[in-house]
Structures are given as structure tokens and as C-alpha cells.
Amino acid sequence: MPARTARTAWNGTFKEGSGQVEMSSSGVGTYDVSFPARAADDANGVTSPEELLAASHSSCFTMAFTNELGAAGGTPEQIEVTAEVTLGPDPAGGLYISKSALTVRGFATGVDEAGFKAAAEAAKVGCPISKALTGVGEITLDVTFEG
């Protein structure tokens, strides 16, 4: 499997500086990052490591989930996954990712609600990004079967 690369160029201090993160492997874009935007309620068009992690978690989970549904005999018809990643104070000092909350809505033919939810639970455990997030305080899963 190939490796993927992102690059960040930064100017200034941690709290006042800013930078740009570039999706180098895909070339899909370069995005502004800064700690003030990271810590603010409104990001104002500036991304953060937490938003990028949420994108990684939701997309990875969705791929793992559709794979689990297929293995259970289901065909994904409509799936929407949201990941909300929370940055919080680390009890040991500094900051850490305190939570990644996955929300799943959708349906698949060939599986009932129990099978849909079981596939989601298996994907939560098996998704490579979930595995990488073992240091996160909590990973939650909220599943709604709309079939």
C-alpha cells in the first residue's frame, strides 16, 4: 500500500503564528492553519488538525463500514458518516484529543437494523484510523438505521 504525504509550512510562534498545510500526495489543496482558529468556536475558513482528523476518521470509518456491510450480505444504499473530534485539556498537561464522536445515518439492503449496527460496531474497531486513535479519551458511535 502506498504512503501519503502532507506538508505544513509555519511562520511565527505557537499562539500567534500561522501556516499552511498542503495535501502533497493528492494535490487537492493547501489550507490555512493557526492556533487562534484552532481554539476558536468559529474557524473562519481556517482548518485545524482536529478537522483534518475528523475528515480522516469519517472517511476511513465509512470505507470500513461499507466493507463490513458487504461481508454481512448487505448493499449500502445511502450512508452518511460525521466525525466530530474534540480538542481538550490533557490531565497530564497540555492538550489532547478527548473525543471522536462518529454519527452514522443510512440504510443498506440485505441487512436488518441489527446487522447494520453490528457492521458499524465492527467498523469502529477495525477502521485503521480508529486503531491509530487508541490514545483518544473516547470514541463514540451513534447509529441510525433508516431502512
Side-chain angles (χ1 to χ4, degrees), residues 3-145:
R4 300 291 185 230
T5 305
R7 182 185 72 83
T8 301
W10 188 268
N11 293 305
T13 65
F14 169 65
K15 287 192 176 182
E16 289 84 31
S18 64
Q20 292 189 318
V21 60
E22 170 191 275
M23 304 302 157
S24 305
S25 298
S26 64
V28 297
T30 300
Y31 306 95
D32 293 333
V33 292
S34 74
F35 185 77
R38 183 181 188 186
D41 288 333
D42 186 351
N44 289 317
V46 178
T47 194
S48 67
E50 292 73 36
E51 183 178 38
L52 296 169
L53 186 58
S56 295
H57 204 187
S58 69
S59 61
C60 181
F61 173 87
T62 301
M63 290 178 204
F65 180 46
T66 57
N67 184 55
E68 293 290 341
L69 284 170
T75 301
E77 298 295 334
Q78 181 178 328
I79 307 295
E80 182 178 306
V81 176
T82 302
E84 182 178 88
V85 172
T86 304
L87 179 68
D90 188 336
L95 300 170
Y96 85 126
I97 303 300
S98 58
K99 185 176 186 179
S100 183
L102 295 165
T103 303
V104 181
R105 304 283 180 264
F107 65 94
T109 56
V111 295
D112 60 8
E113 184 174 1
F116 190 84
K117 289 183 175 183
E121 289 290 343
K124 176 186 167 198
V125 173
C127 160
I129 298 298
S130 290
K131 291 177 183 179
L133 296 176
T134 57
V136 168
E138 177 182 26
I139 297 176
T140 63
L141 181 63
D142 175 23
V143 181
T144 300
F145 179 68

